[in-house]
Amino acid sequence: MRIAWAGFIDPMIYSGGGELSQRELIRAGRELGHEISIHGFLRRRPQRALRKFKIHRQFEIDLTADAIVLMDLRNIPEWPVRIPRRVIDAALDTGRAAVFEQAWVDVCLLDLPCLGDRSACVAECSRSHANDLYSRAHAAIFNSPRQRDAIQAVLDVPLPAHQIISRPAIDTHRFRNLGLERDIDVLYVGTISEAKGYYELIERFGADRMTFAGPNALGHEVQGTYLGHVPYEEVPVLMNRARIFAHLPRWLEPMGRTPVEAALCGCEIVMNDRVGVASHPEPARSDPETIRRAPELFWKDFEAAFAEPVARSSSLT
């Protein structure tokens, strides 16, 4: 298949958890013979990009592709320039677009504080963008059953008939049990914030048992042992030193890579039901062979969703 992978940021340049997951899927898709072109609206360092955007910005999606993946269109919501609406409309009008979200930006710019309960939606929350996107998409891709159910609960329209659950895609060669001494009692890796469950971790385990690694977004010092930023290539060894890996977020985490990575490294996992991977069946979040096959299974489901050809349109700039 020829696939146009289009989103606000280029997943091959930026390196958040969502971008890492996209890379695994794109790599596997290309190995399976799919021709995947990447269309990132933001493709360079923010400072340089902003100077360029102030002058002129051209963005193109190949509308003749067999399928178009629309990924996190409203990512970085504070960014002053957005993907032109006419480009999004043209992609949806082909009838070959799939909506894919790593978080909630195309459903709720507030990170879904209602937790999927429409009666708890805040007054300033609007679902118009999400309703339009999902009602016109050929397919919808979700990181977990938990994410799918939460999105379905807050929309005013039905989900597309074709729904794909993307299982955790982790490099099982990098993340594996090395048999190291486990000299860390309880480990957390990721952004350290209230939404990510920092206070729940302190309350559950106590600061003296906790080791934190990642950027501090608390506004005050981190209690316990704080390692600061740990380069991604060093995370597998760090996880191999931990007895327990804990993640207790307050917000709904659509997937949550780190508990799966830690499970592959042999950690005991403690997480709550707000972590999306907790809604996957056990083999998909702990068994190396099942996790290794996750990208292959994704593309099998993707191919099935686009098995019936739809008329082509020309590219739009």
Side-chain angles (χ1 to χ4, degrees), residues 14-23 102 169 232 255 257 261:
Y14 292 82
S15 297
E19 287 68 53
L20 292 173
S21 295
Q22 290 179 63
R23 289 181 199 175
Q102 293 296 332
Y232 187 65
M255 184 179 78
R257 289 176 60 88
E261 293 170 341

Side-chain angles (χ1 to χ4, degrees), residues 104 107-108 110-122 125 127 145-155 194-196 200 248-254 272-275:
W104 309 104
V107 169
C108 176
L110 304 175
D111 283 338
L112 211 72
C114 69
L115 305 179
D117 178 3
R118 287 187 56 170
S119 66
C121 283
V122 296
C125 184
R127 293 183 289 273
R146 186 73 179 89
Q147 185 194 31
R148 176 201 59 203
D149 295 347
I151 290 176
Q152 185 173 39
V154 299
L155 292 178
E194 178 181 357
K196 292 285 189 175
E200 281 74 10
L248 303 172
R250 289 187 180 180
W251 83 313
L252 284 181
E253 190 114 345
N272 58 23
D273 62 2
R274 295 184 182 183
V275 183

